[in-house]
Amino acid sequence: MGGKSRTARCSRCGVQLVVPPFARTIRCALCHGITNVGPRHDPVRQAVGFVRSMVNSLNPLSSYASGGSSMNNNNNSLWNLPPSYPQVQGKKRALLIGVSYTMRRYELKGTVNDVNCMRYLLCERFGFPRECILVLTEEERDPWRKPTKESVRMAMRWLVMGCGAGDSLVFHFSGHGVQKPDTNGDEVDGYDEALCPLDFETNGPILDDEINETLVRPLPRGAKLHAIVDACHSGTVLDLPYLCRFNRGGFYQWEDHSPPSGVYKGTSGGLAVLISGCDDHQTSADTNAFAGSASTGAMTYSFIQALEFEPGTTYGRLLTAMRSAIRDANTGIGGGPIASLLRKVFSLGLTQEPQLSSSEMFDIYRRPFLL
């Protein structure tokens, strides 16, 4: 891109932002305020920013300025978050979304099961407090917990609100995904990836640009986000800078997927990792194919099974196990419940390979998978 990124404080809420090289303005992913970052070395502007951040530290939004993980309950009125959303901002928290599209021709049967299985895994295997998990499904009575576009947007902001060093965030989505023509020149293949909320036909899908800006950009140093997305065309749905490519022999290499436009797609110092159900050009298994058994997404099922069978696994072994389960089911090799279920799916001729992308490159066979 030429030049180095730097940091600046949001002029509205005081959160620290990563400024792309040569940028003169930047929009905050949390409060959406516009900050004039000006020339790289501007002592007057830096002094003004410092004063503003000090003032902001005295108001209820100070959790953003300080980078702490505590949240004043009064923030709900300021950020317009529904009162039914979890008030506890624990060090471990998760957003689990399952969209069934009930009574529609593209209805999915297994998304609620996916969410319930993920909640069990997070609570029982990784120590996530139940009160720090926000669930959006069509079965929820609270209208703000229905997976509409507006609710999903608010829930994503809730997930990253006030996150700080040591926080572990999980975003799980089970539903439909689509591709849309790219309009801002930041996609190599010319298409944006997007998630489909319940009302996407009337209000549109949520593009990867927005998901990146909301979930990835605010992550401060020491915080980490794991996104598990079980949807079609989801390979790069977080728009992360690096995509891991590896073959059946286990050899891998990281590809640089930084946008041609030079727009910064990384974090504010934290780590963001996406495990997606398939490559951008592929489709994930339609859970309707699991008729006659407990419906669940192929990717979510294989993900949970891999972690149950091998606790403390690495990222590389996790992805290899997931791909092997799906590949064996597709070719009729292997046995057990996962192979039996997946064979029903792949009898329809579907193809998918779970993908790994990240905000930074690392040794996938040495780094343990920890939530």
Side-chain angles (χ1 to χ4, degrees), residues 144-167:
W144 285 112
R145 290 179 179 243
K146 304 282 187 182
T148 63
K149 186 173 185 177
E150 186 176 4
S151 293
V152 172
R153 282 172 158 174
M154 285 190 175
M156 289 194 299
R157 291 199 293 270
W158 167 85
L159 182 62
V160 299
M161 180 178 288
C163 65
D167 287 358

Side-chain angles (χ1 to χ4, degrees), residues 128-283:
F128 279 65
R130 185 170 290 270
E131 64 271 17
C132 294
I133 297 178
L134 174 59
V135 171
L136 302 186
T137 70
E138 290 157 68
E139 294 187 352
E140 300 290 327
R141 294 183 178 180
D142 183 350
W144 285 112
R145 290 179 179 243
K146 304 282 187 182
T148 63
K149 186 173 185 177
E150 186 176 4
S151 293
V152 172
R153 282 172 158 174
M154 285 190 175
M156 289 194 299
R157 291 199 293 270
W158 167 85
L159 182 62
V160 299
M161 180 178 288
C163 65
D167 287 358
S168 176
L169 315 179
V170 171
F171 173 77
H172 173 250
F173 180 91
S174 180
H176 284 302
V178 295
Q179 286 186 307
K180 293 287 186 179
D182 174 38
T183 59
N184 58 2
D186 66 351
E187 295 285 350
V188 176
D189 62 358
Y191 288 93
D192 281 314
E193 285 64 51
L195 300 180
C196 297
L198 181 60
D199 55 349
F200 77 97
E201 284 190 310
T202 54
N203 292 323
I206 302 177
L207 298 181
D208 49 11
D209 297 312
E210 180 179 352
I211 298 171
N212 179 277
E213 184 180 8
T214 305
L215 292 180
V216 176
R217 290 282 298 277
L219 288 175
R221 187 174 302 279
K224 61 182 177 181
L225 166 74
H226 284 88
I228 298 95
V229 179
D230 196 345
C232 297
H233 311 295
S234 55
T236 62
V237 76
L238 257 65
D239 259 1
L240 295 173
Y242 303 103
L243 177 65
C244 185
R245 296 289 193 190
F246 59 104
N247 58 26
R248 295 191 180 190
F251 296 100
Y252 75 93
Q253 64 178 6
W254 288 99
E255 292 181 354
D256 189 344
H257 278 235
S258 299
S261 63
V263 174
Y264 182 71
K265 292 286 187 174
T267 70
S268 293
L271 172 67
V273 175
L274 167 65
I275 297 176
S276 49
C278 60
D279 210 341
D280 286 340
H281 66 280
Q282 295 177 332
T283 56

